Amino acid sequence: MKKIALVMGSASDLPVVRKAAEILDEFGVEYEMHIYSAHRTPLEAREFSVNARANGFGVIIAAAGMAAHLAGAIAAGTTLPVIGIPIKSEQLGGMDALLSTVQMPSGIPVATVAIDGAKNAAILALEILSLEDAGIAAKLEAFREKGQKDTLLKDKELNQ
């Protein structure tokens, strides 16, 4: 089974990225976490992305705030799917990170989730891996069914 990379631009992004790790733990999928900055450690970020496929990764999740160039910098070095998580900042509420992550040049795509949307980033990464892994696909089906049952139960409780 391929593993998932969780890369963040700063240690301050860890509380958000940890939510993706929790989902991956729940699904029993192997992952690695790294801190690489597109600006402070560009050579290391590039080396990581260039070697990601050979190192057994199937998807890379890249989280960054403010200028948020990390997902694009990672995507420039690999043909693996890259999912960007824009991180909320005090200055602009994460809109700067969202726009920096989603506005990639043609030919270098980055799938982008909501601001601080780490859970959805993990689920999207799992959906990508499920194309070749029936076990992950089955766990995703069960996850969706549980979400449906939980929502209907809350509706029933509300209306009693």
Side-chain angles (χ1 to χ4, degrees):
M1 175 188 321
K2 296 202 183 297
K3 56 189 172 180
I4 295 172
L6 300 170
V7 183
M8 63 203 95
S10 170
S12 64
D13 300 330
L14 184 57
V16 172
V17 174
R18 195 173 273 133
K19 294 174 186 173
E22 290 168 1
I23 294 289
L24 300 178
D25 286 338
E26 183 179 332
F27 278 78
V29 172
E30 185 180 354
Y31 62 90
E32 289 182 15
M33 282 190 182
H34 296 280
I35 300 171
Y36 296 123
S37 168
H39 304 104
R40 292 182 297 272
T41 60
L43 298 177
E44 292 82 357
R46 173 93 178 146
E47 181 179 342
F48 177 82
S49 65
V50 166
N51 295 307
R53 186 181 301 273
N55 288 330
F57 293 100
V59 181
I60 301 171
I61 297 172
M66 302 178 80
H69 295 122
L70 182 61
I74 295 289
T78 186
T79 56
L80 290 175
V82 176
I83 303 167
I85 306 171
I87 302 290
K88 185 176 182 178
S89 64
E90 290 182 27
Q91 295 81 3
L92 298 171
M95 286 302 295
D96 51 344
L98 174 63
L99 294 173
S100 293
T101 305
V102 78
Q103 291 288 54
M104 292 302 302
S106 181
I108 310 293
V110 170
T112 306
V113 295
I115 296 167
D116 289 352
K119 288 182 180 181
N120 271 353
I123 293 166
L124 179 56
L126 290 166
E127 289 175 345
I128 292 167
L129 292 185
S130 79
L131 293 170
E132 295 182 5
D133 189 314
I136 294 175
K139 288 178 181 179
L140 283 166
E141 286 291 329
F143 181 81
R144 289 273 179 101
E145 288 174 15
K146 181 182 181 317
Q148 178 187 23
K149 288 177 184 175
D150 290 349
T151 300
L152 292 174
L153 179 62
K154 293 202 184 297
D155 175 66
K156 184 177 180 179
E157 291 170 357
L158 176 69
N159 288 294
Q160 284 185 351

